[in-house]
Amino acid sequence: MRPALRFAPLALATVTALMTVAPPIAAQDRPNRRTLGGHSFITSSNVGDPFMGTYIRTTTGAGRALDLQVPVYDLDSNQIGTLSGNIAFVQLALAYQQRLAKWVVLRASVSGAARLGTNHVALLAEGAAAVYGGTFGATFRLAETERFLLSAIAEGRSNAIYAISPLTFVINAIEGGTADSTTGLLDKGDNWRLIGGLRTAYAFAPWIGIMALAEIGPATRFFEDESGDRNTGQFSLGGTISLDLKPGTNVPIGFAGSVLYQSESDRGDDLVGRQTLFGLGVFYTGRHDLTLGLETGFQRFDQRGLDSKINAVQIRLVLRYDF
């Protein structure tokens, strides 16, 4: 047996023993990039944060969209009523941010989501859809004190959608008098966003802090509107309140409440215009470099061409590790 292989079992046993007995290497000594004024902020997956650290984050979620109103047309394409349906969806996301200097970080993310009608109305009208995309951007520190941080962000976002709608297919076939490549069952679309804005955080005490953002920029829709135009703009305004019980009670539990308004939904397809999103999460705060928790969300979407809104509920598992 070679000398290196002879000592491999001993080396493996030594490393395993050290990992079992010793705490994470200098976990408490590493600079915590989410701390201001002694408060370790709990970041929401709904609202972007202004912090300048390196991290990786995964998000896994599922939910349902309720009270979807599906228009019903006659053979002359006149709307004669609406029917109600529900949609189920799942989502996955992975984000990474890299600190380049004290004043700048770069980040990238990929995400995907799928939806499916859960009753005969929604299944016929909306069928199934898959959306995937990514973002790439940077954050620049503008000002920082012991309790306050102000950053500027610049970010590009793009998504693609593949959707199957049996009802739309039938309507297009009737209007065109035939079914061919122009009335295909599968619709494909894409959009993009170029966003700039400000993000800020302030710690009132070691157990409470707030974050806020305001972002704006040009955008496109997945599909053309009634006038044949895809160009639009997006304005986002949101905030988060972060509560940590550990500083006062030694209980490693924290809470994050969030709200986000978007004039044009980031991931909205032909159904969705404006959205308002509310979130509430409970998180483990026993380690400064780890965020782990469950976050629930409630969303209200505008439906294009209809006065009624879609109400969606969801739950997400959020895991973030700060290096």
Side-chain angles (χ1 to χ4, degrees):
M1 181 179 292
R2 295 180 181 178
L5 296 177
R6 184 181 306 165
F7 292 101
L10 178 60
L12 180 60
T14 303
V15 171
T16 303
L18 289 175
M19 292 178 65
T20 303
V21 176
I25 299 175
Q28 302 299 323
D29 297 332
R30 287 196 292 258
N32 181 9
R33 308 302 182 189
R34 292 183 291 109
T35 297
L36 293 172
H39 176 63
S40 294
F41 283 81
I42 302 172
T43 58
S44 168
S45 60
N46 297 329
V47 181
D49 66 74
F51 298 109
M52 309 298 294
T54 297
Y55 69 80
I56 185 169
R57 183 181 67 205
T58 63
T59 305
T60 306
R64 296 190 67 185
L66 309 175
D67 300 326
L68 169 69
Q69 298 299 309
V70 179
V72 178
Y73 300 92
D74 60 21
L75 295 180
D76 296 323
S77 299
N78 299 313
Q79 183 176 340
I80 59 176
T82 60
L83 295 174
S84 180
N86 300 324
I87 295 176
F89 59 90
V90 295
Q91 59 185 47
L92 296 170
L94 173 66
Y96 178 76
Q97 179 169 289
Q98 176 63 51
R99 177 183 172 95
L100 300 182
K102 292 182 178 180
W103 57 275
V104 61
V105 296
L106 293 179
R107 71 180 159 277
S109 69
V110 292
S111 61
R115 75 167 196 231
L116 179 68
T118 59
N119 62 8
H120 66 283
V121 174
L123 189 59
L124 289 174
E126 299 308 321
V131 183
Y132 67 90
T135 69
F136 183 79
T139 300
F140 306 90
R141 186 183 67 177
L142 299 181
E144 183 175 3
T145 66
E146 181 181 356
R147 296 178 178 270
F148 173 77
L149 174 64
L150 176 65
S151 300
I153 70 105
E155 193 167 84
R157 307 168 185 169
S158 180
N159 293 294
I161 185 173
Y162 292 84
I164 297 174
S165 174
L167 181 60
T168 301
F169 171 74
V170 172
I171 292 174
N172 290 339
I174 292 174
E175 291 178 347
T178 183
D180 55 24
S181 60
T182 63
T183 57
L185 185 60
L186 177 65
D187 282 330
K188 296 182 289 185
D190 59 76
N191 69 6
W192 56 262
R193 308 278 192 270
L194 295 177
I195 301 298
L198 298 175
R199 296 178 180 178
T200 186
Y202 183 82
F204 294 98
W207 61 276
I208 184 171
I210 58 172
M211 293 177 286
L213 65 76
E215 300 170 353
I216 193 170
T220 63
R221 302 185 183 96
F222 279 116
F223 303 109
E224 296 177 351
D225 60 15
E226 295 179 354
S227 65
D229 187 18
R230 291 182 59 206
N231 295 320
T232 184
Q234 184 187 65
F235 171 73
S236 301
L237 188 65
T240 302
I241 182 168
S242 170
L243 303 172
D244 188 2
L245 302 182
K246 187 179 178 182
T249 65
N250 267 339
V251 177
I253 298 294
F255 302 91
S258 60
V259 60
L260 177 67
Y261 168 82
Q262 288 186 320
S263 62
E264 189 75 22
S265 172
D266 261 340
R267 305 188 56 99
D269 55 22
D270 53 320
L271 283 176
V272 178
R274 294 178 297 177
Q275 74 162 345
T276 304
L277 188 154
F278 302 91
L280 179 63
V282 55
F283 295 85
Y284 169 73
T285 59
R287 289 180 52 171
H288 291 288
D289 55 359
L290 178 67
T291 299
L292 176 62
L294 286 175
E295 191 170 28
T296 61
F298 173 77
Q299 294 169 273
R300 288 181 62 84
F301 299 97
D302 278 356
Q303 294 189 84
R304 298 195 193 282
L306 293 173
D307 293 331
S308 59
K309 297 180 182 292
I310 302 175
N311 298 314
V313 292
Q314 57 185 284
I315 185 169
R316 296 180 298 274
L317 174 66
V318 181
L319 172 63
R320 168 169 164 163
Y321 184 79
D322 291 83
F323 295 92

